[in-house]
Amino acid sequence: MEMDACGEMLENNGPKIHSSPESPDLYVLSTLPEVVERVMSFLPSKALLRAACVCRLWRECAWRKLKTRQKVAWLSSVGAAELDLGAHSLVQVVKEELEKVYIIPEMFLYFTDYESLNDRGAHCGPKRAKKKHGSETAAYLEKLLPTDCEILGLATPGIVVTPGGSASNPPMELEDGESGFALLFPKISGVKIQKFHFCKDSKNKVFDEAKLEEAGLKNNPDLRVVLIFGYDIWRHGATRFLHQVLNPLNEKNIIIAGGQVEYLVSFSSQAKSRSTDCIGVVGLALSGPQIQGATVLLDHDVCDEKTVDSAMQRLKAANIPVQNSVGLMFACLGRGEQHYKKKNVEADSFRKHFPNVPLFGFFGNGEIGCDRVVSGNFTLRECNGEKDNLLHGYTTVMTIIHFGHAK
């Protein structure tokens, strides 16, 4: 399963071949460093790092190449793993495909279906199985990734995924069955990605908003997008806590998108002391002038292909660049096939309007977001100065995020 963002699979009336993401039609090479760099442009990052050990020239050329690779990459799994690794099938995909990636990931955001993790350990009972096999998945992935790579993993009732091979592959709404995906973010010039995690303090009823500033979520003029996810929302007081975190973020000049997941799988080894048994909110704060985004809310009145298409037209009207962009879909468990009486309606509509943007997301227990665009001063909907309602049920939040033009 190859990643479109960093190694497009091309067809020339014959077998598929790999092409570097940096290859124009014609090169004129006049010096040895140019020749070396041209050859290195075809190497994935792991091979490039090995080549950097050969000599000083190769090292300098390799690092120049790595610095220019700033596309967001992705990996996905659909169906059960062929090998029994004792963890989710996404682990097998990452194990097999990570060395073929053309970037060095600094942030690794992944989602898996939670039923598969539970099923693998049913003999232990649901609660013990969830913790055991979720932690095994996290541990496997942590070993495969660079030691300084930040990790955030979540388990959800259903997955929305673009199968590996090409960004133009039709995205799939998988409301059951084993599946997962990972977004790999490299170091991108002009972009800062901060991970955050807030747990409800049983001793204090009021959330300390100073924590938002520490996480880059307040008093940050460069903040453009907040991806935010609540977990263990079935516990008493969870909704109130989520409101306390979201209300200070409800500003018109940032995109807020996410939902309520089943549970937290991973928050990197650096934070093992933080409990995953609490009511919590996690996510990513995306800052930087290069980032553009737009989001639309498909409410309960959007109930057929025609109204879905109208919503996607509004998203398209934001004119967000499609190069180095990803689509995100956060839908209620009550939508999907049972809502439309047909499979894949919303994902297919997204692909119709964004044929070369991969789509990822999940079916969850509640949605976070609204109609909003951060691209210049253009907004999809004027809100008359009132705060948007960010917490929803029986809706879908559809978002596109652009991370800047990159080779």
Side-chain angles (χ1 to χ4, degrees), residues 177-405:
E178 189 162 340
S179 57
F181 68 87
L183 296 176
L184 290 72
F185 301 96
K187 185 175 183 180
I188 303 173
S189 300
V191 173
K192 184 177 182 180
I193 302 178
Q194 291 177 265
K195 189 176 59 171
F196 59 84
H197 185 192
F198 309 126
C199 281
K200 184 179 183 298
D201 188 346
S202 59
K203 298 180 181 179
N204 298 314
K205 293 185 177 181
V206 179
F207 176 68
D208 182 3
E209 292 187 15
K211 295 178 180 178
L212 297 176
E213 189 165 352
E214 294 173 7
L217 297 170
K218 289 293 292 182
N219 299 323
N220 177 6
D222 293 326
L223 183 64
R224 296 291 184 272
V225 177
V226 178
L227 300 180
I228 188 164
F229 311 101
Y231 65 89
D232 278 349
I233 49 86
W234 52 271
R235 296 173 182 267
H236 178 70
T239 302
R240 182 173 181 272
F241 177 69
L242 194 52
H243 274 294
Q244 288 180 332
V245 175
L246 284 173
N247 286 342
L249 302 179
N250 199 348
E251 300 175 0
K252 304 298 182 211
N253 62 340
I254 62 173
I255 295 292
I256 300 175
Q260 301 180 36
V261 303
E262 203 67 27
Y263 60 89
L264 177 66
V265 179
S266 175
F267 196 76
S268 299
S269 58
Q270 296 92 327
K272 287 186 184 297
S273 59
R274 300 198 183 204
S275 172
T276 60
D277 292 326
C278 67
I279 297 169
V281 175
V282 296
L284 301 179
L286 311 179
S287 305
Q290 290 200 128
I291 294 180
Q292 297 182 48
T295 181
V296 293
L297 179 70
L298 284 65
D299 61 23
H300 63 278
D301 291 331
V302 178
C303 57
D304 56 36
E305 292 176 82
K306 183 177 180 180
T307 52
V308 171
D309 192 68
S310 296
M312 296 306 161
Q313 287 176 3
R314 291 192 294 114
L315 190 62
K316 183 72 172 179
N319 292 319
I320 304 299
V322 297
Q323 180 192 10
N324 202 23
S325 296
V326 296
L328 297 171
M329 173 181 164
F330 306 117
C332 177
L333 275 170
R335 292 183 76 85
E337 185 177 7
Q338 78 174 48
H339 180 65
Y340 294 103
K341 310 305 179 187
K342 184 179 179 180
K343 290 184 178 180
N344 234 61
V345 171
E346 293 176 349
D348 285 345
S349 182
F350 180 89
R351 181 172 181 256
K352 173 184 173 182
H353 293 279
F354 301 94
N356 295 306
V357 178
L359 179 67
F360 306 95
F362 59 77
F363 289 90
N365 304 307
E367 303 76 62
I368 300 172
C370 66
D371 280 9
R372 192 174 288 179
V373 175
V374 179
S375 180
N377 294 319
F378 174 66
T379 57
L380 282 176
R381 180 173 58 87
E382 293 297 334
C383 302
N384 300 318
E386 297 179 2
K387 292 284 187 179
D388 288 313
N389 179 20
L390 297 177
L391 285 179
H392 308 278
Y394 209 61
T395 65
T396 297
V397 175
M398 195 71 75
T399 304
I400 181 171
I401 304 172
H402 171 64
F403 292 87
H405 296 289

Side-chain angles (χ1 to χ4, degrees), residues 115-133:
E115 285 289 352
S116 298
L117 300 184
N118 284 342
D119 289 346
R120 288 180 181 276
H123 59 281
C124 301
K127 190 171 182 180
R128 289 180 60 193
K130 178 181 71 173
K131 292 181 180 179
K132 178 176 184 291
H133 291 272

Side-chain angles (χ1 to χ4, degrees), residues 32-33 35-37 39-40 43 47-66:
L32 180 59
V35 173
V36 173
E37 287 195 30
V39 173
M40 286 183 171
L43 298 179
L48 201 54
L49 291 172
R50 292 194 190 105
C53 300
V54 173
C55 65
R56 181 177 179 179
L57 172 63
W58 284 30
R59 181 172 66 251
E60 292 174 351
C61 291
W63 283 108
R64 276 198 296 270
K65 280 285 134 193
L66 286 171

